Amino acid sequence: MGRRLYMQLRRQMNDGTLCAGSRAPSTRALAAEFGVSRTTVTAVYEQLAAEGFIVTAPGRVARVASQLTPSAPPRSGRRTRPQPTLSAYGTRVEAMALPALSAGKPPRIDFLYGAVAARDFPALPWRRAHQAALLQHQPRLYYEPPVGDASLRRALQGYLARARGLLCDAEQIVIVHGSQQAIDLCARVLLDPGDAFAFEDPGYLMARRCFEATGARLLPVPVDDQGLDTARLPEDRHVRLAYTTPSHQFPLGAMLPIGRRQELLRWAARRQAWIIEDDYDGEFRYGQRPIEALHAIDTDGRVIYIGTFSKALSPQLRLGYLVLPAELVPVFRQAKRLSDRHAPVIEQRALASLIDSGAYERHVRRVRRENERRRSALLDAVATHLPAGARVVGAAAGLHVVLWLPMQGQQDEAAVVAAAREAGVGVYALSPLYAGPPARSKPRQAGLILGYASLDVEQIRKGVRALAAALARVAAAP
Amino acid sequence: MGRRLYMQLRRQMNDGTLCAGSRAPSTRALAAEFGVSRTTVTAVYEQLAAEGFIVTAPGRVARVASQLTPSAPPRSGRRTRPQPTLSAYGTRVEAMALPALSAGKPPRIDFLYGAVAARDFPALPWRRAHQAALLQHQPRLYYEPPVGDASLRRALQGYLARARGLLCDAEQIVIVHGSQQAIDLCARVLLDPGDAFAFEDPGYLMARRCFEATGARLLPVPVDDQGLDTARLPEDRHVRLAYTTPSHQFPLGAMLPIGRRQELLRWAARRQAWIIEDDYDGEFRYGQRPIEALHAIDTDGRVIYIGTFSKALSPQLRLGYLVLPAELVPVFRQAKRLSDRHAPVIEQRALASLIDSGAYERHVRRVRRENERRRSALLDAVATHLPAGARVVGAAAGLHVVLWLPMQGQQDEAAVVAAAREAGVGVYALSPLYAGPPARSKPRQAGLILGYASLDVEQIRKGVRALAAALARVAAAP
């Protein structure tokens, strides 16, 4: 009711019509002018006084506060006032090239790596578990420990022992917002500007960027068909950690053999470095049972294990975890608390009950079978439709393959991706995952990443056929 | 089935019984020894070969991999090997004193600030909204934009205009994991070691620690009964930002008057500094309507506004948001993406639909009335039971009050808190929220923080009575 009056008085004080220190209009006059009761005017004055616009005192006339300054007239043209600066981190991060976010309509058939099929999500069990967690009695709602919900950490401890041969205390587990936060916490807590880090080349770009954002120096380590080439790990004295994906190298797909695992651990001991083991899709191994984690053979407490629910459940859940050497638990606990206190409670409890009931592992087995079917369809379609030279690697595990196209040079990748896109098929260039330009003496062949976890078998077949046609068009182009 | 065999071979390779490079036992011998079929033995060998423990080739005998090293015998006693180091950030954070996490059984009546009553949470509307969001069709599950769900940002834009007089584009909003992450992102993106930041004294410790963790220097600015004393803002040339809680100063509870708001904005322009406005409980103002945000009168684009759902819904949800000056959007977008990609999707959509339907604002009004009742009960009980000198401040808004006890010096705070605790009542000392020790010339009186949002009216009355008795015991002590 007094809103119009309030706004007019604010405006007049703002533009200087009512000067600082001057008498405020009488309540009687305002009541008449606005056709409201004097009670309304008094309420407006009380609000303005509470906000400090006017000064009132019993028995004195109200005055406009003396410190008030009318706002400057709006400046025209571009901003001339110098703006504050960003931190070194902010400056690095702002300039950083990150993978483009898919904007607009996705291609009709999208081999997007990292996406999973919506119908694979266990919506009903999740809804039930979520509802049960929501109704679980709590005397009050307050912050939880930064390391995460105790029931989820216990459930994970059992799961990791069963599924990944990884024996740890629940106390070593910290629940985080997906593996991205796990990586970011490692970067913050372990790297300074001027330090160096060893990183798989090619490797997972969103992890590399996290480490680079700290101002530390990238030391790329080549990857071959057995994964990280541990004979070429850097002996740089500034190196603080190595990031690796030993179960299924991202993106090339090798499993790091035991000899290299041991060599990596010896290197870490020699260099006093940490090893970050990103087990991003360790659940998905076809034929063999999933290999145990690198963490399982670490006797020195140098391996930081990272797990995620983004592949087996949904990347939109934003839940993952770290298994830390005991001595790193205190610093990660504090860093997680300062970062965002803790992960959401209901979701953690829902997940704990899914794991405890066995529903999670049943779900993983089911999705593994689904993905095995998708993978077979992809391999069959590649063998049937693509030219003879095309070679798939990394298909023994995970949710994507790499497709090498020796008939095309690396410089043709963009043309292939664009031609496929024109045909309604999304495929993704491999070369951005390399740390630097390829050696001139030995130009690399074109490579594509094809994720298949969000597609059905029919789409996969159609997609590969369309890709084959697009490749033929590129090859025929002048 | 072959598990026992697999484990024995692993053990023998590990302890050197089977040497690196030596012939692996024949499949026939192992089948006989373990009473399993040769097919089982072959499957185990395939697994071991895939993992790199043995080398097989068609027509050749299997051999133990030549790079294998038996693991060292377990070391006895304490670890002697030098361990890798932490970053400067990690070192600072590990050593940092953060508020104790309530471990064990909470006191019978706990005036814990930050806790809210579980029965205030709108469980049924939330469940329905969550379920609807879960069932909403998505073609696939993939990462969302780092700034958050578009529907929630649009809903918040409208809410902020209606409730906080804050007009912004949805593009300026970034959804985060609670105000703690908002603060942490500001610290990372805006502060370097050697920079300085202005901070309310006393102030919100978890924010101060975030800024200190960057290595920046704290410049405490005194708070009086009108909030931040803007006449004493530092003119230090290294200052990059000021953190403030203008709607309801934490912890003392003043609302910053318009004159000081303008002075703060002028200071920021002069110093080229950012202002971080933490509007942590802006929804809870009793009597007057909620004052509009500082952001609303910022014409220079220097105010970063932080909002949270921790008070109006639940601190366990971990949802909050930033409203950024347009020029800061790109860097925060990248920083959020590197930190943890984005907030969970289902929860964001559930919240958006609660806001869009009006249910959220109805809920806020209902909880505001609840808290008004709790607050009245607290003020009445204090007036009735506590000694005449006891003085409540900051009760016009928010979910806590500060209780000054002039009959006790600041050095007695711990004794009062302990005596109350013995009587089953949780109250919290004020002095840890000051940046430094009080000036010797002018010893401060004891102060307590009493949060009331998680208690019912009867508990509040009983709690204040018990506190009065505890105070009397402390006063009577020799």
Side-chain angles (χ1 to χ4, degrees):
Chain A
M1 169 114 139
R3 181 84 193 156
R4 209 162 49 88
L5 170 59
Y6 171 88
M7 290 311 293
Q8 159 150 337
L9 291 169
R10 283 286 304 271
R11 205 162 37 241
Q12 291 181 340
M13 290 184 281
N14 196 41
D15 67 13
T17 311
L18 287 170
C19 305
S22 70
R23 251 179 104 127
S26 80
T27 52
R28 187 189 309 268
L30 286 176
E33 184 184 340
F34 281 81
V36 296
S37 71
R38 283 183 70 187
T39 318
T40 302
V41 179
T42 307
V44 167
Y45 269 29
E46 276 167 9
Q47 176 80 30
L48 288 168
E51 294 175 3
F53 283 99
I54 62 171
V55 180
T56 55
R60 312 261 306 260
V61 292
R63 287 188 177 276
V64 178
S66 57
Q67 320 91 310
L68 273 196
T69 0
S71 65
R75 286 181 304 275
S76 60
R78 55 188 278 280
R79 183 184 298 275
T80 51
R81 223 179 284 190
Q83 281 296 305
T85 50
L86 302 180
S87 65
Y89 172 85
T91 308
R92 280 189 297 267
V93 160
E94 187 172 39
M96 220 160 226
L98 298 181
L101 284 165
S102 54
K105 219 175 122 68
R108 199 162 39 81
I109 297 175
D110 197 356
F111 289 97
L112 179 64
Y113 172 72
V116 302
R119 68 184 156 73
D120 284 355
F121 184 79
L124 190 62
W126 181 258
R127 199 178 83 197
R128 284 195 191 126
H130 186 273
Q131 187 161 324
L134 194 59
L135 297 177
Q136 199 178 314
H137 176 70
Q138 292 197 76
R140 65 182 182 194
L141 303 172
Y142 189 58
Y143 301 112
E144 290 283 298
V147 289
D149 186 72
S151 66
L152 178 56
R153 292 157 73 219
R154 273 196 308 272
L156 268 175
Q157 178 191 24
Y159 171 74
L160 287 169
R162 291 191 298 277
R164 313 295 293 120
L166 193 161
L167 303 177
C168 67
D169 285 344
E171 303 304 308
Q172 291 172 260
I173 299 175
V174 176
I175 311 297
V176 292
H177 291 298
S179 60
Q180 190 68 32
Q181 186 177 47
I183 293 163
D184 188 49
L185 285 172
C186 290
R188 288 180 94 172
V189 161
L190 305 176
L191 289 178
D192 273 320
D195 287 345
F197 63 99
F199 198 86
E200 295 173 337
D201 188 32
Y204 178 45
L205 190 60
M206 286 291 284
R208 169 145 66 89
R209 292 293 192 233
C210 256
F211 298 127
E212 288 174 332
T214 65
R217 191 160 36 94
L218 167 69
L219 301 173
V221 183
V223 168
D224 61 20
D225 58 5
Q226 296 190 77
L228 185 73
D229 185 353
T230 47
R232 296 169 72 178
L233 279 163
E235 298 294 338
D236 189 299
R237 70 190 178 84
H238 297 288
V239 74
R240 292 283 171 270
L241 62 86
Y243 169 91
T244 180
T245 49
S247 301
H248 186 230
Q249 201 274 331
F250 188 83
L252 296 183
M255 179 175 68
L256 198 67
I258 182 70
R260 289 195 178 184
R261 288 174 186 236
Q262 291 180 338
E263 190 165 10
L264 177 59
L265 290 168
R266 283 195 300 272
W267 170 85
R270 191 164 66 241
R271 297 263 44 106
Q272 297 176 41
W274 302 106
I275 299 169
I276 299 175
E277 173 181 24
D278 187 348
D279 197 19
Y280 64 105
D281 63 5
E283 299 87 354
F284 297 99
R285 177 153 284 275
Y286 313 111
Q288 270 105 30
R289 68 183 175 80
I291 181 167
E292 71 188 8
L294 175 63
H295 190 285
I297 58 162
D298 169 31
T299 53
D300 264 9
R302 292 185 187 281
V303 173
I304 299 169
Y305 176 92
I306 295 177
T308 178
F309 295 97
S310 292
K311 311 301 178 219
L313 287 172
S314 164
Q316 301 188 346
L317 273 187
R318 313 307 310 127
L319 282 173
Y321 51 94
L322 290 149
V323 184
L324 294 164
E327 70 193 293
L328 284 181
V329 171
V331 64
F332 275 79
R333 185 193 291 137
Q334 298 262 94
K336 172 66 181 165
R337 192 165 170 209
L338 286 172
S339 297
D340 56 11
R341 288 195 180 258
H342 60 75
V345 173
I346 302 296
E347 287 68 27
Q348 290 187 75
R349 293 194 182 152
L351 190 45
S353 80
L354 279 194
I355 297 176
D356 285 337
S357 71
Y360 178 72
E361 274 149 286
R362 279 195 303 278
H363 167 73
V364 168
R365 283 194 295 275
R366 189 176 66 75
V367 180
R368 192 186 293 137
R369 284 193 302 272
E370 279 298 321
N371 282 309
E372 191 149 17
R373 272 192 283 275
R374 293 175 179 129
R375 168 183 165 273
S376 301
L378 178 63
L379 296 181
D380 288 352
V382 166
T384 310
H385 300 294
L386 289 194
R391 192 166 59 94
V392 166
V393 299
L399 304 173
H400 76 281
V401 300
V402 162
L403 183 64
W404 287 115
L405 300 170
M407 48 290 192
Q408 254 89 30
Q410 196 177 53
Q411 70 286 354
D412 300 325
E413 267 181 13
V416 173
V417 169
R421 187 75 185 218
E422 231 169 271
V425 177
V427 294
Y428 296 86
L430 184 65
S431 55
L433 305 191
Y434 283 88
R440 271 182 217 188
S441 56
K442 193 186 158 206
R444 289 202 186 96
Q445 52 195 300
L448 299 176
I449 304 178
L450 276 68
Y452 50 80
S454 71
L455 300 174
D456 63 35
V457 164
E458 200 41 48
Q459 287 175 308
I460 290 170
R461 287 187 192 127
K462 277 189 194 155
V464 172
R465 268 202 304 272
L467 174 62
L471 272 174
R473 280 195 300 279
V474 172
Chain B
M1 168 114 139
R3 182 83 193 156
R4 207 162 49 89
L5 170 59
Y6 172 87
M7 289 312 293
Q8 159 150 338
L9 291 171
R10 284 285 306 270
R11 205 162 37 240
Q12 291 180 341
M13 289 184 282
N14 196 40
D15 66 14
T17 311
L18 287 171
C19 306
S22 71
R23 249 180 106 127
S26 80
T27 51
R28 187 191 307 268
L30 287 176
E33 183 184 339
F34 280 81
V36 295
S37 71
R38 282 182 73 184
T39 318
T40 302
V41 179
T42 307
V44 167
Y45 269 29
E46 275 166 11
Q47 176 80 30
L48 288 168
E51 293 175 4
F53 283 100
I54 62 172
V55 181
T56 54
R60 311 263 305 260
V61 291
R63 287 188 176 276
V64 179
S66 57
Q67 320 91 311
L68 273 196
T69 0
S71 66
R75 285 181 305 274
S76 59
R78 55 188 278 279
R79 183 184 298 275
T80 50
R81 225 178 284 188
Q83 282 295 305
T85 51
L86 302 179
S87 67
Y89 173 85
T91 308
R92 280 190 297 268
V93 160
E94 187 172 39
M96 221 161 227
L98 297 181
L101 284 165
S102 55
K105 220 174 122 68
R108 201 161 35 85
I109 298 175
D110 197 357
F111 289 97
L112 179 64
Y113 172 72
V116 303
R119 69 185 156 73
D120 284 356
F121 184 79
L124 191 63
W126 182 258
R127 200 178 81 195
R128 283 196 192 127
H130 186 274
Q131 188 162 324
L134 193 60
L135 298 177
Q136 199 178 312
H137 176 71
Q138 293 198 74
R140 66 183 182 194
L141 303 172
Y142 189 58
Y143 301 112
E144 290 282 300
V147 289
D149 185 73
S151 66
L152 178 56
R153 293 157 72 219
R154 273 195 309 270
L156 268 174
Q157 178 192 24
Y159 171 75
L160 287 169
R162 292 190 298 278
R164 314 293 296 119
L166 193 161
L167 302 176
C168 67
D169 285 343
E171 303 304 309
Q172 292 173 259
I173 299 175
V174 176
I175 311 296
V176 291
H177 292 297
S179 60
Q180 189 68 34
Q181 186 176 48
I183 293 164
D184 188 50
L185 285 172
C186 291
R188 287 180 93 173
V189 161
L190 305 175
L191 289 178
D192 273 321
D195 287 344
F197 63 100
F199 198 86
E200 296 173 337
D201 188 34
Y204 178 45
L205 190 60
M206 286 290 285
R208 169 147 65 89
R209 292 292 191 233
C210 257
F211 298 127
E212 288 174 331
T214 65
R217 193 159 36 92
L218 166 70
L219 300 173
V221 183
V223 168
D224 62 19
D225 58 5
Q226 295 190 79
L228 185 73
D229 185 353
T230 47
R232 296 169 72 178
L233 280 163
E235 298 294 339
D236 189 299
R237 70 189 178 85
H238 296 290
V239 74
R240 293 283 170 269
L241 62 87
Y243 169 92
T244 180
T245 49
S247 301
H248 185 230
Q249 200 274 331
F250 188 83
L252 296 182
M255 182 174 67
L256 197 69
I258 181 70
R260 289 196 178 184
R261 288 174 187 238
Q262 292 179 336
E263 191 165 10
L264 177 59
L265 290 168
R266 283 195 300 272
W267 170 86
R270 191 164 66 243
R271 297 264 43 107
Q272 296 175 43
W274 302 105
I275 299 169
I276 299 175
E277 173 182 26
D278 187 348
D279 197 19
Y280 64 105
D281 62 6
E283 298 88 353
F284 297 98
R285 177 153 285 275
Y286 313 112
Q288 269 105 30
R289 68 183 174 80
I291 180 168
E292 71 189 8
L294 174 63
H295 190 285
I297 60 162
D298 169 31
T299 53
D300 265 8
R302 290 182 190 281
V303 173
I304 299 169
Y305 176 91
I306 295 176
T308 178
F309 296 98
S310 292
K311 312 301 179 215
L313 286 172
S314 163
Q316 301 188 345
L317 272 186
R318 313 306 312 125
L319 283 173
Y321 51 95
L322 291 148
V323 184
L324 294 164
E327 70 193 293
L328 283 182
V329 171
V331 64
F332 275 79
R333 185 192 291 138
Q334 297 261 95
K336 172 67 181 164
R337 191 164 170 210
L338 285 173
S339 298
D340 56 11
R341 288 195 179 258
H342 60 76
V345 172
I346 301 296
E347 287 68 27
Q348 290 187 76
R349 293 194 181 153
L351 189 46
S353 81
L354 279 193
I355 297 175
D356 284 337
S357 70
Y360 178 71
E361 274 149 285
R362 281 194 302 278
H363 167 72
V364 167
R365 282 194 295 274
R366 188 176 67 74
V367 180
R368 191 188 292 136
R369 284 193 301 272
E370 280 297 323
N371 281 310
E372 191 148 17
R373 273 194 281 276
R374 292 173 179 130
R375 167 183 165 274
S376 302
L378 177 63
L379 297 181
D380 288 352
V382 166
T384 311
H385 300 294
L386 288 194
R391 193 167 59 93
V392 165
V393 300
L399 304 173
H400 76 281
V401 298
V402 162
L403 182 64
W404 287 114
L405 301 170
M407 47 291 191
Q408 254 90 30
Q410 195 177 53
Q411 70 285 354
D412 300 325
E413 266 180 13
V416 173
V417 168
R421 187 74 186 219
E422 231 169 89
V425 177
V427 292
Y428 296 85
L430 184 65
S431 54
L433 304 191
Y434 283 88
R440 270 181 220 191
S441 56
K442 193 186 156 208
R444 290 203 185 96
Q445 52 195 300
L448 299 177
I449 305 177
L450 276 68
Y452 50 79
S454 72
L455 300 174
D456 63 35
V457 163
E458 199 41 49
Q459 287 175 308
I460 290 170
R461 287 186 192 126
K462 277 189 193 155
V464 172
R465 271 204 301 275
L467 174 62
L471 272 174
R473 280 196 301 280
V474 172

